[in-house]
Amino acid sequence: MTTSPTASPPVTGLIYVSRLLTDRAMRHLEALGAPLRIGSESPPNRAELEVGFAGASAAVITLTERVDAALLDVAGPQLKVIANVAVGYDNIDVPAATAAGVTVTNTPGVLDRASADHTMALILDATRRISEGDRLIRSQQPWIWGPRMLVGLDISAGATLGILGYGRIGRAVARRAQAFDMTVIASSRSLAPGTVENGVTFVDTPTLLAESDVVSVHTPLTAQTRHLIDAAALSAMKPSAYLINTARGGVVDEEALVQALHEGRIRGAALDVFEGEPRVNPKLLTAPGLVLTPHTASAGEATRDTMGILAVDNAAAVLAGKQPLTPIR
C-alpha cells in the first residue's frame, strides 16, 4: 500500500482506494490531484483495510471489502464518503455509516448491459450444455455424433423465462430473452400480477417458479431475499427447468441446489455468485448440470472502466461539498 500526496488538490481530503481499478479509472482518479492511498490488485485483509481507512476522508472500495461500525470507528470522524464499485452494497453496514454521517454510494445503471449479456450467456450455456460439451472434448473421451447426444433446451421454441427481480438488470435480460423468442414472465414488488409491460407478464413468485423453463435471479441480497431459492422453491420448479443466478450468492441455498441437481428435481443451473465467495462450496464442483463462473457478469472492459470512474466521481463530489451522483437512498 502506498501513499502519494500531491499539492493543492481540487478536492479536500485523503482518498483510500482499497484495490487497483482499471487503468482508465486509475488515471481518472490520479487526475483529481488529491492525496491517494492505494491498495493492490488483491483484496485487503482486515488489518490492511483498517490501515487504509484510518484518516481517510473518502474510501473507494469493492464488494470484497466488509465495512462495519468498528471499521468506521477506525476511520475517524473525517470520513465523508464510501464509494462502492458495485450495484449491491450488502458488504456495507449502511445504517452504521449513516449514523456516522458517512455518505454511501454505488454504481447502478452502468453494468446493466454487461450483466444481462452474461446472464444470457449462462442461459445459453446451461440449456445447450456448452460447457459440458467443452469438457467432453478436452477429456479426450471417445465420442461420435448421435441423435441423443448432449440434447438440451431449445429456448427459442416457446421456452418461458421467469425473472425474479425486475430492476434495471432484469429489464435488460428480458429484452435479450425476447430477442431469442422466449416468453418472459416476471415478479416484482411494484407491479401487480396480471400487469403487462413491454411484453412481459407479471405473476406472483409461486406462479413464476411453476411455469418457467428458466428462472433467472436478479434480486438484491437482503434479510428477506436470503435463501429465497430454497428447497421448497426448487421443488416448485419444473423438473425440466434451469436456475440462473447472477445477483448475489446468498439468494440461493447452495446445499438445497446441490441436492436438487443430484436428485433431478431441476435439470440444470448456472451460478456467477456464491454464498461464501470467493470460497466455493466444493459440493457445487461435482453437481451435475451446473455451470460456474467467478463473479464476472460485469467484466466487460467498458463496463469496469465506467464503474470505477463513477465511484471516483461520487467520492470526489462529496469531498468537494457537492451531492454524489448515485447515493444509496
Side-chain angles (χ1 to χ4, degrees), residues 27-75:
R27 289 194 297 269
H28 188 72
L29 171 71
E30 291 160 0
L32 295 176
L36 302 178
R37 181 180 293 153
I38 301 171
S40 67
E41 190 169 350
S42 300
N45 60 35
R46 179 68 183 203
E48 291 169 334
L49 198 59
E50 290 179 355
V51 171
F53 264 78
S57 295
V60 178
I61 67 169
T62 73
L63 56 84
T64 58
E65 285 75 74
R66 295 280 170 185
V67 179
D68 54 22
L71 185 60
L72 293 167
D73 287 340
V74 169

Side-chain angles (χ1 to χ4, degrees), residues 257-321:
L257 174 61
V258 167
Q259 186 172 355
L261 289 168
H262 278 293
E263 294 176 356
R265 285 189 281 117
I266 63 171
R267 190 174 183 182
L271 306 177
D272 185 54
V273 287
F274 306 92
E275 285 195 81
E277 196 174 310
R279 175 190 171 275
V280 175
N281 185 335
K283 295 178 183 178
L284 293 172
L285 304 181
T286 56
L290 182 58
V291 177
L292 306 172
T293 55
H295 205 145
T296 49
S298 67
E301 292 178 357
T303 298
R304 287 286 173 86
D305 283 345
T306 306
M307 289 171 68
I309 289 169
L310 177 55
V312 169
D313 285 345
N314 274 318
V318 174
L319 293 184

Side-chain angles (χ1 to χ4, degrees), residues 139-294:
S139 71
Q140 299 186 23
Q141 297 179 50
W143 64 275
I144 188 168
W145 184 92
R148 298 165 66 94
M149 179 185 180
L150 290 175
V151 175
L153 174 68
D154 282 319
I155 63 169
S156 60
T160 296
L161 172 65
I163 297 176
L164 278 172
Y166 198 67
R168 292 187 181 95
I169 296 173
R171 287 180 171 84
V173 171
R175 292 193 296 271
R176 283 154 178 76
Q178 288 168 334
F180 279 85
D181 294 328
M182 297 188 79
T183 298
V184 182
I185 60 178
S187 66
S188 170
R189 291 178 300 176
S190 58
L191 293 170
T195 304
V196 178
E197 179 185 282
N198 297 323
V200 177
T201 301
F202 289 84
V203 297
D204 58 32
T205 298
T207 300
L208 184 144
L209 293 172
E211 294 186 358
S212 297
D213 297 296
V214 180
V215 174
S216 190
V217 179
H218 300 283
T219 63
L221 178 60
T222 66
Q224 291 71 39
T225 63
R226 182 171 293 278
H227 286 187
L228 174 67
I229 304 299
D230 57 8
L234 291 163
S235 295
M237 292 170 60
K238 297 179 180 179
S240 58
Y242 296 81
L243 174 71
I244 312 295
N245 185 18
T246 57
R248 283 290 185 266
V251 178
V252 174
D253 182 339
E254 292 176 351
E255 293 288 336
L257 174 61
V258 167
Q259 186 172 355
L261 289 168
H262 278 293
E263 294 176 356
R265 285 189 281 117
I266 63 171
R267 190 174 183 182
L271 306 177
D272 185 54
V273 287
F274 306 92
E275 285 195 81
E277 196 174 310
R279 175 190 171 275
V280 175
N281 185 335
K283 295 178 183 178
L284 293 172
L285 304 181
T286 56
L290 182 58
V291 177
L292 306 172
T293 55

Side-chain angles (χ1 to χ4, degrees), residues 37-150:
R37 181 180 293 153
I38 301 171
S40 67
E41 190 169 350
S42 300
N45 60 35
R46 179 68 183 203
E48 291 169 334
L49 198 59
E50 290 179 355
V51 171
F53 264 78
S57 295
V60 178
I61 67 169
T62 73
L63 56 84
T64 58
E65 285 75 74
R66 295 280 170 185
V67 179
D68 54 22
L71 185 60
L72 293 167
D73 287 340
V74 169
Q78 80 295 321
L79 183 65
K80 295 182 175 65
V81 56
I82 299 171
N84 210 31
V85 188
V87 174
Y89 44 88
D90 49 283
N91 56 314
I92 302 171
D93 186 336
V94 176
T98 301
V102 177
T103 298
V104 179
T105 69
N106 63 344
T107 59
V110 300
L111 55 102
D112 301 349
R113 288 179 294 182
S115 295
D117 288 349
H118 195 82
T119 300
M120 203 67 217
L122 290 180
I123 292 172
L124 290 166
D125 192 331
T127 59
R128 294 301 303 272
R129 304 172 70 175
I130 293 169
S131 289
E132 188 177 348
D134 179 79
R135 289 191 295 271
L136 173 66
I137 294 290
R138 293 178 188 278
S139 71
Q140 299 186 23
Q141 297 179 50
W143 64 275
I144 188 168
W145 184 92
R148 298 165 66 94
M149 179 185 180
L150 290 175

